[in-house]
């Protein structure tokens, strides 16, 4: 699966030179499912997994809906966007982890 994602992303991101990293994690624990970075340094994923855990805790304290949580951080030379990918569980259904994608651009 990782090879397929890496190859697909390489083809797509060749056209987006500002894309620096993409991380797929599982919330609320911030477990890493997959990551890609333009400089091939997987360490970036650990920081974004920690960011997702911290954002999850903060948004839960604010009472934000789990299905609509997203995060956007900006700096002078970078943007970080975080969005959930999976759908809401069925009413009364079991709780399941949610997939979270983090994208870093310049």
């Amino acid at each position: 699966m990782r090879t397929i994602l890496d190859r697909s992303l390489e083809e797509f991101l060749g056209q987006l030179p500002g894309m620096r990293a993409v991380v797929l994690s599982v919330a609320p624990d911030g477990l890493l499912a997959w990551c890609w970075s333009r400089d091939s340094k997987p360490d970036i994923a650990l920081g974004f997994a920690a960011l997702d855990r911290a954002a999850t805790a903060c948004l839960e304290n604010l009472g934000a809906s789990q299905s609509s949580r997203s995060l956007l951080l900006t700096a002078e030379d970078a943007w970080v966007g975080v969005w959930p990918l999976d759908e809401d569980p069925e009413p009364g259904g079991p709780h399941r982890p949610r997939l979270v994608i983090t994208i870093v651009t310049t």
Side-chain angles (χ1 to χ4, degrees), residues 7 17 24 42 52 63 92 102 104-105:
R7 239 180 306 157
L24 186 63
D52 185 55
T102 301
V104 183
T105 64

Side-chain angles (χ1 to χ4, degrees), residues 7-29:
R7 239 180 306 157
S8 298
L9 205 57
E10 287 292 340
E11 290 176 23
F12 177 71
L13 293 179
Q15 307 301 317
L16 300 170
M19 184 72 69
R20 292 173 49 190
V22 179
V23 177
L24 186 63
S25 59
V26 181
D29 299 324

Side-chain angles (χ1 to χ4, degrees), residues 48-77:
F48 291 117
L51 173 65
D52 185 55
R53 285 191 299 271
T56 295
C58 180
L59 292 170
E60 281 178 357
N61 287 334
L62 294 172
S65 165
Q66 186 176 25
S67 63
S68 65
R69 292 179 191 165
S70 62
L71 178 68
L72 180 62
L73 297 175
T74 62
E76 185 176 327
D77 57 354

